[in-house]
Amino acid sequence: MQENVKKFLESRFEKIKILQKTDKSEVWLAQERATKKLVVIKFLNSIGLPYQELKKISHPLWAKIFYCAQDSAGTAIVEEFLQGESLAEMIEQKNFLSDAQARKILLQMCDGLKILHENKIIHRDIKPSNLILQAGGIIRLIDFDAARIFNAEKKVDTHSLGTKGYAPPEQFGYGQTDNRSDIFSLGTTIFEMLGDNCEKNLKKILLKCTELDPKNRFQSVDELKAALLEKPRTSHKKIFACGLLICGILFFANSTSEEIFPAEVDKISEVEEKILSPENKKIVEKKPEKKFEFPEIKFPEEKNSPAPPTPRQTFELPKITFPEKISPPTEKNLEPEEIQPIKNYVKVKYWLNGTRSAEWTDNFESDTTNAVHGTYIAENSWSRWQSAGGGSIIFPGGNYIYIEAQNFSSQIFTDPQVNLVYNDNGRIETKTFYGNSSIAPGGGKISFSIPLEGFRVDNPRVVGDYWMSKNSFEIYFSGSGAEIIGSKMTYDFGFISQKRWDEEKNNR
């Protein structure tokens, strides 16, 4: 490395202690002289590493690159110092992961690796010692010294780097590494972190990650993420039996339709204003004795009811009208309210087109994962939706899921994000929405508007008049800094024929 580069770094940073020294690298813990901020300085005897590319892109998974210089002799890097415990240290202490912790880490890795792979960066050395677990279950990936830029024209890697036991066969001369190589190393690492305990569905996923032939693995981290978020399937007999029971309950007890579209387009702004206004500041201390698991149906005659409806209630079906296509609201970062921190949690609430979902969850001060918003749509409504070819229909514009998260803790809540998983009769589609900033403590809020426009639905007519389609949107809210209450919400949409709709109405 050129002397002028080393002199520049010495003028800006003060070395504290050496972290690692080999014949290939020298790694120092240092601090910036002006700000006293801790950093890591690396001097590497190798070139062609993707640190310049990493400096241009940013994601919470890896350390921020502040400076990078390269000449014919080597590479110098200054990057963010990451505090936390490595997964290798956890293994030494026999502190293994639970299935829930493993899934949380895998989902974070999928989001970060997706950005790397889209920029053609392959890490090639994912292993326990290169994964740092921080407070709140946040995972960080370090050491890109074996990383490479993917080149589709090459059949094998120029240099065989990586760690045996974690690297796939193609990394040692049997082919070229690609995004599936990182999936192999990630699966191997998580397998080790689970110890002797691993639930059946997760084990099946990890076995697919670690297939020797790359063609048999997940072909992308999007596929891996979809598998992690998909609910385990039961046997066909159980599905049939449960389906009959559930359909009977839903159709004959709760099958009245919820009005999912606003009555008038020009009232959308009014609905938003009500949503964003301060409400429900007081947290109810009493917990229900039992979690309610039935889909929520909106009752026109009752408002702001904290309890789920009962099957015996009856009412007239609301009329469904269709708004013109409008642009969905964008993410909003709201000012914190003037309240004192009262609990160490972030409260998440959901709305469908301005209608509050699962309001009964306000009674809880612990996370619930069984909140469901059920909506039935009659044929005379969905038959007007735009055709997407092949007999399919798509959700029209102007429909959205609104999410508001409020931080009641005394800590900053960082990296808020929303993961959406759409299931159309077994066809999975996922999207991730990132918050632009953290949520301030003591009442700070952030909101997301997730447009439903464009999601495809298989034609409900293909199965028959009495068929209920299996369309659902599962929403997962995550972040770091406090417990989350309301981390998951499910929206179930039932598409039924007008004949069945009218029969149910007449029976009432």
Side-chain angles (χ1 to χ4, degrees), residues 256-297:
T256 47
S257 169
E258 181 168 317
E259 184 176 3
I260 65 168
F261 302 117
E264 299 179 25
V265 176
D266 57 4
K267 291 186 179 181
I268 293 289
S269 59
E270 297 178 11
V271 174
E272 284 188 0
E273 183 178 355
K274 292 179 182 179
I275 293 171
L276 303 181
S277 62
E279 63 176 6
N280 297 328
K281 292 183 182 178
K282 183 177 179 181
I283 304 300
V284 181
E285 295 291 338
K286 182 179 179 181
K287 298 183 180 179
E289 296 180 359
K290 185 177 180 181
K291 296 181 180 178
F292 186 80
E293 298 182 356
F294 288 100
E296 176 189 284
I297 305 298

Side-chain angles (χ1 to χ4, degrees), residues 299-427:
F299 286 79
E301 300 298 328
E302 298 182 11
K303 297 183 180 179
N304 299 321
S305 174
T310 60
R312 297 182 179 178
Q313 292 175 282
T314 60
F315 52 88
E316 289 297 322
L317 295 171
K319 181 181 179 181
I320 297 179
T321 57
F322 290 80
E324 298 295 329
K325 184 174 181 180
I326 60 174
S327 299
T330 57
E331 177 197 334
K332 299 178 182 179
N333 203 349
L334 311 177
E335 293 296 327
E337 297 180 359
E338 295 295 330
I339 63 174
Q340 295 295 323
I342 55 175
K343 298 290 182 182
N344 185 33
Y345 59 59
V346 169
K347 185 77 171 180
V348 187
K349 299 178 181 179
Y350 301 83
W351 286 261
L352 178 62
N353 289 346
T355 299
R356 177 70 190 282
S357 304
E359 191 173 6
W360 57 272
T361 58
D362 287 348
N363 292 333
F364 286 81
E365 288 192 325
S366 60
D367 196 22
T368 59
T369 58
N370 65 331
V372 179
H373 186 124
T375 299
Y376 302 103
I377 305 174
E379 185 176 17
N380 67 350
S381 295
W382 56 255
S383 62
R384 290 183 250 171
W385 293 9
Q386 179 181 351
S387 173
S392 299
I393 59 177
I394 61 175
F395 280 87
N399 304 289
Y400 61 94
I401 296 170
Y402 181 88
I403 304 164
E404 179 183 282
Q406 184 171 13
N407 184 6
F408 288 96
S409 77
S410 58
Q411 304 295 322
I412 296 175
F413 189 82
T414 60
D415 304 321
Q417 71 178 59
V418 172
N419 289 293
L420 178 148
V421 181
Y422 176 58
N423 188 336
D424 175 34
N425 199 29
R427 181 178 60 85

Side-chain angles (χ1 to χ4, degrees), residues 68-224:
C68 180
Q70 176 182 293
D71 62 13
S72 59
T75 307
I77 305 109
V78 180
E79 65 182 28
E80 175 188 7
F81 173 65
L82 301 179
Q83 298 187 39
E85 184 179 26
S86 75
L87 297 191
E89 292 172 324
M90 294 176 62
I91 291 176
E92 290 178 3
Q93 301 166 7
K94 298 189 181 302
N95 183 15
F96 297 108
L97 298 174
S98 66
D99 287 331
Q101 289 173 319
R103 285 178 178 272
K104 183 176 181 179
I105 288 174
L106 284 166
L107 289 172
Q108 292 178 71
M109 291 293 295
C110 285
D111 288 341
L113 289 176
K114 180 179 180 179
I115 304 300
L116 291 178
H117 295 165
E118 287 176 347
N119 287 272
K120 299 183 178 181
I121 299 174
I122 313 300
H123 187 276
R124 295 204 305 169
D125 201 17
I126 297 175
K127 58 184 179 181
S129 60
N130 284 340
L131 288 169
I132 305 297
L133 190 61
Q134 297 182 320
I138 303 302
I139 198 70
R140 309 298 295 273
L141 178 62
I142 63 172
D143 195 353
F144 284 75
D145 298 352
R148 64 181 288 265
I149 301 294
F150 176 75
N151 186 343
E153 297 179 358
K154 290 187 176 182
K155 295 183 179 180
V156 296
D157 292 1
T158 305
H159 301 287
S160 296
L161 299 175
T163 303
K164 290 185 178 181
Y166 300 98
E170 64 266 24
Q171 203 157 321
F172 297 102
Y174 295 94
Q176 182 186 192
T177 52
D178 57 22
N179 57 332
R180 297 171 296 180
S181 305
D182 282 346
I183 291 174
F184 180 97
S185 301
L186 177 59
T188 303
T189 297
I190 298 302
F191 247 138
E192 185 175 7
M193 289 305 304
L194 285 166
D196 297 329
N197 299 317
C198 182
E199 56 98 358
K200 183 178 180 181
N201 189 56
L202 181 56
K203 184 177 182 180
K204 182 179 178 181
I205 292 172
L206 295 177
L207 285 173
K208 186 171 182 178
C209 289
T210 54
E211 287 280 358
L212 294 180
D213 188 344
K215 294 179 182 178
N216 296 331
R217 300 173 203 156
F218 293 104
Q219 300 300 292
S220 69
V221 289
D222 279 341
E223 288 188 12
L224 171 56

